[in-house]
């Protein structure tokens, strides 16, 4: 059954600075991408040149009929050297916020989306002696430009950050391929402390953080094991948001857990470009799981599919939104849905995985709206989550 949503429901799309802006040269990941023998197969380079083309991106989003844009502020641009805040970078991001408001688009702003300044990493990263003070210093510098922003996400996917940190500490040669280890618990706790401290700096601005929901499902008999997996990798981060103004839910696929850990999907299972199982039910499961642990408003801050087949994007999104509609019909407090991603962008080491509603020519940066984007925009204009297809 189609489910109408309130007129304040956010229908939008998301990006992150490093993945779309281009030339994020003071960041830690830029250094990794460009070092000799980099573990990342491709560089971000000019990315989508959204640092200069953001007005065009916003016009596209508004013309589709969407009313919200999630984008990020890049710490490495705002504070390229410790304690040295770039007024020009802050002005840039303030212009983006005002550009949203002028177009009737609600800005949803992320303060940290995976990348940090290179100097922060050199100083020990999240477990360095000054990490919390350094992060809150950055948040304090940004706070004055956030007036009028109703949704601020402090840190994106802290659970993924803590898992990637564990992988780096293990000396693994590759950042991205293969199953991730459990989070580095010191990093997890530092991120939770940083999030709470950042919220303290944001005072009247409504804030939360965004969690990678992995939809852990137990095979019969492995329930307790799956709960342990979920606690370390997801639930401790959800629980840390119990006093927040909202929580961001991000879901793409599921992980089935047996007594010995993850059970690989059937070799015949349908997969996305990234190799993840095609599982649009992840969104409904993630929203219900989050609501079962804490009682704060939910904003879907990411959901989407890496595919070269735009019909498949529409199919996946339709099924995911139908599941979201079931959760809303059951009374869950869901305030909006932000599709990942507005643009085909830099997927952390690769340009081959295309999540975008809009294609971007790698030479000219020309944007081309895909049919799935127009279909999604029509749903937004109608204000109705679709029934199952
Ligand atoms: C991240 C995005 C990423 C997406 C698809 C999320 O983990 O927040 O930056 O591109 O998933 O992998």
């Amino acid at each position: 059954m189609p489910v109408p949503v309130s007129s304040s429901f956010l229908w939008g799309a998301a990006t992150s600075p490093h993945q779309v802006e281009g030339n994020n040269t003071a960041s830690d990941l830029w250094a990794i991408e460009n070092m000799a023998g980099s573990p990342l197969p491709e560089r971000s380079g000019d990315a989508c040149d959204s640092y200069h083309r953001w007005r065009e991106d916003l016009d596209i989003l508004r013309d589709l009929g969407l009313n919200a844009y999630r984008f990020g502020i890049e710490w490495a641009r705002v504070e390229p050297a410790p304690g040295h805040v770039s007024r020009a970078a802050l002005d840039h991001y303030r212009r983006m916020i005002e550009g949203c408001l002028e177009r009737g688009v609600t800005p949803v702003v992320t303060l940290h989306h995976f990348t940090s300044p290179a100097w922060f990493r050199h100083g020990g990263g999240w477990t360095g002696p000054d990490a919390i003070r350094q992060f809150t210093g950055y948040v304090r510098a940004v706070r004055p430009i956030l007036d009028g922003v109703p949704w601020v996400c402090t840190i994106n996917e802290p659970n993924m950050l803590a898992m990637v940190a564990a992988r780096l500490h293990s000396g693994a040669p590759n950042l991205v391929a293969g199953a991730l280890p459990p989070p580095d618990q010191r990093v997890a706790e530092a991120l939770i402390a940083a999030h709470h401290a950042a919220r303290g700096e944001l005072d009247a601005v409504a804030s939360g953080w965004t969690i990678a929901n992995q939809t852990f499902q137990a095979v019969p008999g492995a329930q307790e094991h799956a709960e342990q997996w979920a606690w370390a990798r997801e639930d401790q981060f959800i629980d840390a948001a119990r006093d927040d103004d909202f929580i961001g839910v991000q879901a793409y696929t599921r992980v089935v857990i047996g007594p010995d850990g993850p059970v690989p999907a059937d070799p015949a299972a349908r997969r996305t470009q990234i190799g993840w199982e095609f599982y649009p039910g992840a969104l409904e499961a993630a929203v219900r799981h989050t609501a079962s642990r804490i009682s704060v408003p939910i904003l879907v801050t990411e959901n989407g599919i890496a595919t070269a087949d735009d019909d498949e994007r529409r199919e996946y999104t339709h099924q995911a939104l139908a599941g979201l509609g079931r959760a809303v019909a059951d009374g869950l407090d869901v305030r909006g849905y932000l599709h990942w991603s507005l643009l085909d962008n830099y997927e952390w080491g690769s340009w081959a995985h295309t999540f975008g509603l809009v294609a971007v020519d790698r030479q000219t940066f020309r944007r081309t709206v895909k049919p799935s984007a127009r279909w999604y925009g029509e749903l937004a204009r109608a204000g109705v989550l679709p029934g199952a297809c």
Side-chain angles (χ1 to χ4, degrees), residues 154-386:
T154 59
I155 301 174
N156 180 69
E157 297 192 348
N159 49 339
M160 295 305 288
L161 269 177
M163 288 190 264
V164 169
R167 166 170 288 188
L168 285 173
H169 293 165
S170 74
N174 193 316
L175 273 183
V176 282
L180 284 166
D184 180 315
Q185 193 57 25
R186 280 182 60 227
V187 174
E189 283 162 22
L191 288 164
I192 290 170
H195 169 60
H196 290 150
R199 275 182 37 78
E201 293 294 335
L202 291 167
D203 56 78
V205 177
S207 61
W209 65 354
T210 61
I211 308 301
N213 287 251
Q214 297 144 84
T215 310
F216 294 111
Q217 297 177 346
V219 302
Q223 190 60 36
E224 203 176 315
H225 196 60
E227 280 168 17
Q228 284 162 7
W229 264 77
W231 188 84
R233 291 164 176 80
E234 181 172 313
D235 292 344
Q236 63 172 324
F237 300 91
I238 295 176
D239 295 354
R242 71 172 65 79
D243 296 324
D244 291 3
D245 299 304
F246 71 94
I247 184 162
V249 167
Q250 318 203 146
Y252 293 90
T253 188
R254 67 173 168 180
V255 180
V256 177
I257 301 293
D260 301 319
V263 179
D266 187 320
R270 188 168 165 192
R271 287 171 194 275
T272 71
Q273 275 178 333
I274 283 197
W276 298 343
E277 184 187 359
F278 178 97
Y279 191 72
L283 181 58
E284 179 180 3
V287 164
R288 289 187 188 277
H289 177 70
T290 301
S292 75
R293 293 198 74 89
I294 58 171
S295 301
V296 300
I298 288 173
L299 184 61
V300 177
T301 38
E302 288 184 26
N303 168 252
I305 177 171
T307 177
D309 175 354
D310 195 51
D311 289 340
E312 186 177 44
R313 185 178 336 281
R314 175 174 162 165
E315 180 191 351
Y316 176 95
T317 308
H318 188 144
Q319 289 187 36
L321 288 174
L324 187 66
R326 285 190 289 274
V328 169
D330 283 347
L332 271 64
D333 185 7
V334 181
R335 305 291 176 92
Y337 172 87
L338 308 175
H339 190 81
W340 185 268
S341 176
L342 179 65
L343 305 174
D344 284 344
N345 60 43
Y346 180 64
E347 179 55 27
W348 307 113
S350 169
W351 284 99
H353 306 143
T354 46
F355 277 94
L357 295 166
V358 176
V360 180
D361 185 290
R362 300 278 328 113
Q363 302 304 318
T364 63
F365 307 109
R366 186 164 173 269
R367 276 70 169 141
T368 305
V369 173
K370 301 179 189 178
S372 60
R374 300 202 189 283
W375 165 82
Y376 174 49
E378 286 310 313
L379 287 180
R381 286 181 206 273
V384 177
L385 292 164

